[in-house]
Amino acid sequence: MREEFFDTQVCGSLPTNLPGGFFVYEIEGDEHIVFADFNVIDLFGCNTFEEFIEYTGGSFTGMVLDEDLQKIETLIKAQTIFGEKRHDYVRYRIRTKTGDVRFIEDFGHLLHSINGKSYFFVFIVDVDQNEFFNNSRNSFAEAELLSRNKETDKLTGLFTMSFFYHIVQNMLTSPEGRRKDVSFIYFDIPNFKLYNERLGFKMGDELLCDLAKKIKDTFTGATVARFSDDHFMVCATGSRDEILSKVEIVFRKMLLAEDVNKKVRIKAGIYFLDDVRAEVGLACDHARLACNSIKGRHDLNYCVYDDILREKLRKQQYVVDHIEEAIQKEYIKVFYQPVIRVKSGEICGYEALVRWIDPNIGMLNPGDFIETLEQFHLIHLVDTFVMKKVCEDYKKLKEAGECVVPVSINVSRLDFEICDVFEALEQARIPCEMPRNMLDIEITESAFNDNTGLVKNECKRIRDKGYHIWIDDFGSGYSSLNTIADYEFDVLKLDLVFLRSYDNSQRTGQLMSFIFKGAVALGVSPLCEGVETEEHYEFLKRSGCERAQGFFFGKPMIMDETRAFTKQKGITWEKIG
């Protein structure tokens, strides 16, 4: 076959019908194409340079298939602008004017002109599809370039964490970087592992790529990286309002996705850099911690790392670091609050509550450490300690000839996953000779929303052995009357929100009466907490509630103090038959 040539009319002729060609584009702005040889024009199914420019929009971005653009642009920058090399090697796909998809290898070289403009001189080759996807079939030089490319994430095309650190640290130490308002934004998809289990890893990968593209498109000009799994980090410049607005835009884009399976609520943590000399890793940690602090919050999409959060996290770290010492040295104290039999006005039990009296930072209420211990799966240390102390206090009262009544202990849902709750109760009870019917177990209603059935089965086991089970905090969140019907328990404890609402609405009183009667009909004893006034107490008497608890009868105190307080008020103890 006779070889044909194209006369450039300038500097010789080019062989035509080759599977490759040469073009040049500007690196700044919209990456304007300034030259393309005839083979490149032909590769795209065009006949003239003008037709090629019209089809591609005159830009390098218009040459690349949309699905590949983000990956290869990041990869080119990683190898040249942010890297130590002046050349790049990338692979991508193009779509010709006739609609065909072709597979391209791209060898580019970054050059700078004397007028300050920069250009990429690029040689591209049309390759076989199998070769495109198979690295092992490349030349030694190409394979070496690919193997050395550790700067970008293979799935999303974003920078890797280590290369992100490299780029951002260089930016922060530059004179220009010191003058900018810099922010770090950490994005996370809550429960992403469950998403993969439900819809498969292929759909999960698609979701990650979608989120990566939305972040990149929204934070134009920013440095964006995928740190791991579903965790993304952005280093951006701009005002506080601009950054917050862009975070909200990403959130809305994900929530309004056309594919219903990709409508997800994401979380973000934001750290507005206050010291350009800060270490990048620490700045990223601040953003990550801010995001993690709202993982369980359905009302917040993002959180800004500030002095309040810093103090909260410092306190959390203190709790985690010192909980074992606090138990060993008994800085953890058991306080008791009386439970009253409504009809007789006598004390029919106590609830055991914990306080942490620390010699360094003073009193810590449950809200200061319970949630943290649950988050770090350490709550069982406190719960088993409380079991032990309650049984020891019972023994002391018994030996002193005092009246004793049952004591209820709060058990976390996580306790059932971490330890054998029944065995823990037995180990605490048996040495103190405390009967099982004197030790009641309180479990929050939300704990029964356990799809595995673990909590339900373990509660049945414990109840069958003679312990009483209470459902705590009924009505504090999403409550269902099915809870009363589906589970076997002995006491239904209404959350204090009911009586607070009762103060403003008589309809709440009607609802409470209905719940009390329903519980009694099922053989369950209703208890209402939050009793603070005489009016509350009188209402409970009229409405059929059997037990009551609240500051009206006494606040939580250590055992000796609460017994002295109630004695002074003339409240007696119910005799246990």
Side-chain angles (χ1 to χ4, degrees), residues 315-341:
K315 186 175 287 187
Q316 280 187 344
Q317 194 61 50
Y318 186 90
V319 167
V320 173
D321 291 343
H322 293 84
I323 182 59
E324 292 185 352
E325 177 190 17
I327 290 173
Q328 182 183 0
K329 295 183 178 180
E330 297 196 8
Y331 299 151
I332 302 291
K333 305 292 184 183
V334 178
F335 281 38
Y336 295 87
Q337 186 172 32
V339 177
I340 303 297
R341 185 78 63 186

Side-chain angles (χ1 to χ4, degrees), residues 17 56 146 159 331 430 450 535:
N17 300 319
T56 60
L146 287 170
F159 293 130
Y331 299 151
I430 292 173
D450 169 41
E535 183 185 355

Side-chain angles (χ1 to χ4, degrees), residues 28-90:
E28 290 87 6
D30 58 0
E31 300 179 325
H32 176 63
I33 299 170
V34 297
F35 174 81
D37 71 14
F38 185 76
N39 287 314
V40 171
I41 295 169
D42 184 62
L43 190 64
F44 276 82
C46 299
N47 294 312
T48 65
F49 180 72
E50 290 74 21
E51 184 183 355
F52 168 72
I53 291 297
E54 182 182 359
Y55 175 65
T56 60
S59 167
F60 172 65
T61 59
M63 295 174 62
V64 184
L65 202 65
D66 286 345
E67 292 88 334
D68 296 349
L69 183 60
Q70 177 175 292
K71 290 185 182 181
I72 67 103
E73 286 217 308
T74 307
L75 191 52
I76 290 171
K77 288 180 181 178
Q79 294 180 66
T80 55
I81 299 172
F82 296 127
E84 298 176 353
K85 303 186 290 288
R86 294 178 64 185
H87 57 271
D88 67 72
Y89 171 72
V90 291

Side-chain angles (χ1 to χ4, degrees), residues 261 386 414:
N261 290 319
V386 171
L414 291 172

Side-chain angles (χ1 to χ4, degrees), residues 94-139:
I94 66 170
R95 190 182 302 278
T96 69
K97 193 172 182 181
T98 56
D100 297 327
V101 172
R102 290 184 175 177
F103 300 87
I104 301 298
E105 285 186 330
D106 172 317
F107 302 85
H109 202 96
L110 176 61
L111 297 175
H112 307 287
S113 67
I114 58 174
N115 64 6
K117 280 194 172 184
S118 299
Y119 300 88
F120 267 114
F121 282 54
V122 185
F123 177 69
I124 59 173
V125 181
D126 183 9
V127 297
D128 177 78
Q129 180 176 352
N130 291 329
E131 183 179 351
F132 180 86
F133 288 111
N134 187 355
N135 292 348
S136 64
R137 293 182 59 182
N138 296 321
S139 69

